Amino acid sequence: EGMALPQRLFPPEKICMDWQQRQRPGAGLFNLGNTCYINVILQCLTYTPPLANYLLSYEHSQSCEQQGFCMMCTMEAHVRKVLCSSASAVLPGAVLRDLKFIGEEFEYGRQENAYEFLRCALSAMHRACLSGCHDLDISSQETTIVHRIFRGFMKSRVTCLSCQAVVDSYKAFLDVSLDIRVRASSLITVLEDCVTPKQLDQKECFRCSKCKKKAAASKKVTVHHAPRVLTLCLERADQLTGTKISKFVEYPEYLDLRPYMSDTAGEPLLCSLYAIVVHSGDSCLEGHFLCYTKASNGLWYKMDDESVDNCDIHTVLGQQAYLLFYAR
């Protein structure tokens, strides 16, 4: 109320969730020594339909004024190289060369975490979309193509157990990390647990603004606005011991987000699985990353660095998944 509407850096009606070009899967990616964590994220982003459609349109590079490194231009060239190459495998040379610009913590030749690379890659792409856009308010900055695709909002409702007053707060997210240590035989179980109200720890001192007392309170977290692409991380590093959690967590090909929304009474909100990342190895600090992606021809492929092999959905759903990508 009383605030100017945000500018629209990228209008949502231009986003196309279905592939605009249908073709065979693209090339694999060479591993130059501990670069599998980069390869799996590049492949998952390459097969994210709304992002690939945008990158293949040349829309960014045709108007880009960025001097030096630009992650969007880099991704545009990479996706085109992968999907249009006749080679069985290509080298993601530009990404490897400019690794420090994507994330200062990454060191070439050292095994890193695929999830952290995903977060840094999306952040670098978002920054690239803002290049040349000066003096934009925060709301306008959130309208880049990257945030239009990946960003959602969580709602946190705290209820005073003394007078039943509620306080709502909202937080944007580009991905959701899920604790799979307890009672987590399936993704559905984990999500149901996430939206179940929980009493606040006594250390989390809650003073109710209505009854003005320090009171016991409960907190419920729900998805308030679902992103077009939902990215879920099944936390496989035990925070206490650092050891890898190797349990199998069942996940569906089609996920209805409606039961986990703030408004559970609406129409089903269906998402379709299109990519997963798998970590193999006994320790989270070493091992190997590979991924399974659904190409524009509707078929699934196992992508293990330079090798790209077709597989079926039963194989995909039988993996010890680390990252899950669902598209609305």
Side-chain angles (χ1 to χ4, degrees):
E1 184 89 22
M3 291 177 65
L5 285 172
Q7 296 182 46
R8 302 200 308 172
L9 295 179
F10 191 86
E13 59 269 17
K14 287 179 64 177
I15 294 175
C16 182
M17 295 300 293
D18 293 319
W19 285 100
Q20 291 179 321
Q21 301 175 26
R22 295 189 180 275
Q23 59 193 65
R24 60 174 181 78
L29 301 177
F30 287 114
N31 186 332
L32 292 190
N34 290 330
T35 57
C36 57
Y37 74 96
I38 296 172
N39 288 349
V40 291
I41 297 306
L42 291 178
Q43 293 289 39
C44 290
L45 292 176
T46 297
Y47 293 95
T48 298
L51 181 63
N53 288 333
Y54 174 75
L55 294 173
L56 290 170
S57 74
Y58 286 118
E59 184 169 335
H60 178 82
S61 60
Q62 286 174 349
S63 59
C64 182
E65 298 176 359
Q66 174 81 349
Q67 299 297 312
F69 174 72
C70 171
M71 187 61 175
M72 286 301 284
C73 288
T74 298
M75 283 301 298
E76 189 178 285
H78 174 80
V79 168
R80 187 164 292 278
K81 183 178 179 182
V82 168
L83 295 181
C84 302
S85 174
S86 59
S88 61
V90 298
L91 181 67
V95 176
L96 297 175
R97 184 185 65 238
D98 292 316
L99 199 53
K100 286 291 184 184
F101 294 110
I102 300 171
E104 293 181 0
E105 65 270 38
F106 299 125
E107 188 174 312
Y108 181 70
R110 185 177 68 192
Q111 178 67 284
E112 306 279 5
N113 188 291
Y115 176 47
E116 294 305 321
F117 182 75
L118 170 66
R119 301 188 74 161
C120 288
L122 291 180
S123 178
M125 291 165 69
H126 177 64
R127 291 195 304 271
C129 293
L130 294 174
S131 175
C133 301
H134 305 295
D135 303 321
L136 280 181
D137 60 85
I138 295 297
S139 295
S140 297
Q141 291 178 26
E142 299 302 310
T143 62
T144 64
I145 178 72
V146 176
H147 279 202
R148 291 287 197 202
I149 293 172
F150 293 96
R151 189 189 60 161
F153 282 91
M154 288 291 188
K155 176 181 178 180
S156 176
R157 169 164 286 188
V158 177
T159 304
C160 174
L161 298 181
S162 175
C163 71
Q164 301 304 309
V166 298
V167 178
D168 292 338
S169 59
Y170 303 87
K171 185 178 181 180
F173 67 89
L174 294 180
D175 57 75
V176 180
S177 287
L178 299 172
D179 187 346
I180 62 171
R181 287 174 299 173
V182 189
R183 295 187 298 109
S185 59
S186 73
L187 178 62
I188 302 303
T189 306
V190 178
L191 293 174
E192 287 173 348
D193 183 64
C194 285
V195 299
T196 301
K198 297 174 181 61
Q199 188 158 339
L200 290 179
D201 192 290
Q202 288 183 340
K203 298 175 192 171
E204 299 181 74
C205 189
F206 173 75
R207 182 179 290 277
C208 179
S209 58
K210 184 179 180 183
C211 64
K212 310 298 182 185
K213 294 191 295 188
K214 285 185 180 178
S218 71
K219 181 178 180 180
K220 181 178 181 178
V221 178
T222 52
V223 179
H224 194 68
H225 174 74
R228 287 175 174 83
V229 168
L230 174 67
T231 307
L232 302 174
C233 175
L234 306 184
E235 296 178 0
R236 294 206 170 269
D238 191 299
Q239 300 300 318
L240 297 176
T241 64
T243 56
K244 182 181 175 182
I245 302 171
S246 297
K247 70 195 302 183
F248 174 72
V249 178
E250 185 181 1
Y251 47 94
E253 181 180 6
Y254 300 101
L255 175 67
D256 180 11
L257 286 181
R258 183 56 66 188
Y260 320 110
M261 301 289 291
S262 303
D263 176 13
T264 57
E267 291 286 317
L269 206 58
L270 287 176
C271 298
S272 175
L273 185 71
Y274 73 91
I276 71 168
V277 170
V278 177
H279 175 268
S280 62
D282 298 325
S283 166
C284 292
L285 300 176
E286 53 190 25
H288 181 62
F289 288 103
L290 58 120
C291 65
Y292 293 78
T293 64
K294 192 176 186 179
S296 62
N297 61 6
L299 302 178
W300 281 93
Y301 295 87
K302 177 183 178 181
M303 299 189 171
D304 188 353
D305 289 330
E306 62 266 25
S307 71
V308 176
D309 300 304
N310 62 311
C311 63
D312 58 28
I313 185 61
H314 302 293
T315 301
V316 175
L317 297 179
Q319 300 302 311
Q320 197 185 99
Y322 176 43
L323 300 177
L324 298 167
F325 294 82
Y326 284 92
R328 291 265 292 274

